[in-house]
Amino acid sequence: MSYTVLARKWRPQNFQQLVGQEHVQRAIVNAIEQQRLHHAYLFTGTRGVGKTTIARIFSKCLNCETGITSTPCGSCSTCTEIDEGRFVDLLEIDAASRTKVEDTREILDNVQYRPSRGRYKVYLIDEVHMLSNSSFNALLKTLEEPPPHVVFLLATTDPQKLPVTVLSRCLQFHLKRMTEEHIANHLAHILGEESIPTEEGCLPIIARAADGSMRDALSLLDQAIAFGAGELKLPEVTDMLGAIDQGFVRDILSAMAVNDVDAVFAAIDRMAEFNPDYRKVLAEMLSCLHRIAVSQMANKPVSSELDELTQILSPNDVQLFYQIGGHARRDLPLSPDAREGFEMAVLRMMAFRPDLVGSSESKKK
Ligand SMILES: [Zn+2]
């Protein structure tokens, strides 16, 4: 299996397949169907949330040989060339590498010419805030009187650096960061369609590592499958990402909840075989505790694996563990040994547990 197969194969081909950006999808699909196109769109948002993908889909909608449509055919030569990134009337410009005014001028000079193959020329200017002032002026002139056959798609991670004169001429959309849930669900869908065996617990780890970017998630997924020789296996995924199996953290918390110190140390021993990064273990524990607290206080169900912990830990315990865990994470470099620091944090959580402090005192009496 090739490393990039899934990432390329599952790149959204039309707006209906675009995951997590429904507000953008609806606005653009409506504009296309009602033939009320704007000349300039500004997409803001972090990396990997789909700017290039949207530009390509938009360009297909406008130029598909079946006519202007919100559902481009995906098979005509125009659609194929756009998908492959070699369509002459889709001009992708990375402003981060082209900041000189001559470069922008050279591009904008050609705006007046009709498209060579399609109905519309689509200009995607990525990181548009990196353009110099004089380049902005050149762009602004074009935006003031755009030729009818041109659509500008401007993208930036930093809209505050754009002059108001440019902002005011664009229809602005904020592209949302993908939530871990969105990413995990989408990956699960793909793996199902591809009939790739998947061990439980892999997808949340990949979704977290992708940090809001579906593109990163897909390439991590491809790597993980290559690592696992065609399957998604937990040890390979944790190994690859330097993550730990959340199961260890749950085992430790479960043993802490029933105050079983032997079971706590047995779980730590099992985890230690994987040579984990204890800062990451603590981070994972904090994030579990956060989800448990939300579930307890907001009565909002979390992942089913945490159900039992949500029942047996009191809200007081959860708050206390979180507090101690946070400090332990900060202080970990001060411990002579990371595992030692981690064990002390766990013991401290148990020693200060309000319910148990009470009961051990009552035992003494
Ligand atoms: Zn087509």
Side-chain angles (χ1 to χ4, degrees):
M1 174 168 298
S2 149
Y3 276 32
T4 53
V5 166
L6 290 181
R8 208 174 298 151
K9 183 170 173 189
W10 288 89
R11 177 167 238 188
Q13 300 299 315
N14 54 48
F15 282 119
Q16 286 69 29
Q17 292 173 359
L18 190 70
V19 180
Q21 310 292 0
E22 283 75 13
H23 60 303
V24 179
Q25 173 206 319
R26 221 175 307 125
I28 298 181
V29 166
N30 286 343
I32 291 169
E33 285 176 353
Q34 294 163 11
Q35 310 248 357
R36 296 168 76 164
L37 281 179
H38 211 264
H39 283 290
Y41 295 81
L42 175 67
F43 299 107
T44 62
T46 50
R47 46 180 291 285
V49 288
K51 286 171 287 200
T52 311
T53 302
I54 289 175
R56 288 191 178 171
I57 298 176
F58 207 155
S59 180
K60 282 196 283 185
C61 290
L62 296 177
N63 289 313
C64 176
E65 289 165 23
T66 65
I68 296 182
T69 168
S70 65
T71 51
C73 74
S75 52
C76 67
S77 59
T78 301
C79 285
T80 317
E81 283 172 28
I82 293 172
D83 281 336
E84 288 167 0
R86 53 186 185 88
F87 185 61
V88 285
D89 292 319
L90 172 60
L91 296 107
E92 299 185 30
I93 300 151
D94 181 4
S97 63
R98 278 183 159 254
T99 50
K100 288 196 304 263
V101 68
E102 305 85 71
D103 287 336
T104 325
R105 283 248 168 83
E106 175 196 313
I107 295 156
L108 295 178
D109 278 349
N110 291 325
V111 166
Q112 303 304 327
Y113 298 115
R114 297 209 35 91
S116 27
R117 289 213 36 213
R119 292 177 204 95
Y120 283 89
K121 280 208 273 199
V122 178
Y123 287 81
L124 170 65
I125 308 184
D126 201 5
E127 296 301 346
V128 63
H129 66 272
M130 304 282 282
L131 290 177
S132 67
N133 273 339
S134 42
S135 296
F136 268 124
N137 291 337
L139 175 65
L140 194 58
K141 267 199 196 114
T142 319
L143 288 180
E144 275 166 356
E145 285 176 63
H149 54 264
V150 167
V151 173
F152 279 100
L153 305 178
L154 310 178
T156 178
T157 48
D158 202 350
Q160 285 168 347
K161 290 202 182 129
L162 287 179
V164 181
T165 40
V166 170
L167 282 176
S168 66
R169 285 182 169 79
C170 296
L171 209 55
Q172 195 172 332
F173 291 106
H174 182 69
L175 298 179
K176 289 187 240 169
R177 252 175 70 94
M178 304 280 155
T179 63
E180 286 174 23
E181 203 185 348
H182 250 127
I183 293 177
N185 287 343
H186 188 58
L187 299 185
H189 170 73
I190 292 175
L191 291 165
E193 294 282 312
E194 298 281 336
S195 316
I196 292 170
T198 305
E199 274 182 21
E200 214 185 307
C202 293
L203 295 185
I205 295 175
I206 295 179
R208 169 158 308 176
D211 195 24
S213 158
M214 192 65 88
R215 182 178 59 206
D216 289 358
L218 284 173
S219 51
L220 289 175
L221 185 65
D222 271 322
Q223 283 178 40
I225 293 168
F227 250 57
E231 291 178 37
L232 209 54
K233 296 185 202 137
L234 196 50
E236 273 78 4
V237 170
T238 52
D239 211 34
M240 183 182 102
L241 294 172
I244 53 139
D245 179 357
Q246 226 186 51
F248 289 124
V249 169
R250 285 198 301 273
D251 289 349
I252 295 169
L253 283 172
S254 301
M256 286 163 70
V258 295
N259 207 31
D260 184 342
V261 182
D262 291 341
V264 168
F265 277 97
I268 296 178
D269 276 341
R270 285 198 303 280
M271 179 175 73
E273 284 175 29
F274 291 86
N275 206 8
D277 173 343
Y278 286 93
R279 245 181 88 79
K280 282 190 180 163
V281 177
L282 278 168
E284 192 62 52
M285 186 178 271
L286 292 181
S287 139
C288 275
L289 290 165
H290 163 256
R291 276 181 292 159
I292 292 169
V294 170
S295 167
Q296 286 174 336
M297 306 301 282
N299 211 359
K300 196 172 124 193
V302 282
S303 50
S304 53
E305 299 103 32
L306 293 176
D307 276 354
E308 204 195 326
L309 283 168
T310 306
Q311 299 297 326
I312 55 179
L313 284 171
S314 75
N316 283 350
D317 293 335
V318 176
Q319 289 299 327
L320 181 79
F321 289 1
Y322 193 94
Q323 179 90 359
I324 293 176
H327 287 167
R329 202 162 171 257
R330 182 196 61 196
D331 294 342
L332 207 59
L334 304 179
S335 307
D337 170 89
R339 177 172 170 173
E340 194 180 300
F342 177 75
E343 289 181 355
M344 281 306 281
V346 169
L347 290 172
R348 204 175 314 132
M349 290 173 190
M350 294 174 75
F352 287 118
R353 228 178 132 184
D355 301 344
L356 294 174
V357 171
S359 64
S360 61
E361 272 169 5
S362 55
K363 259 181 234 157
K364 273 181 221 152
K365 278 175 196 167

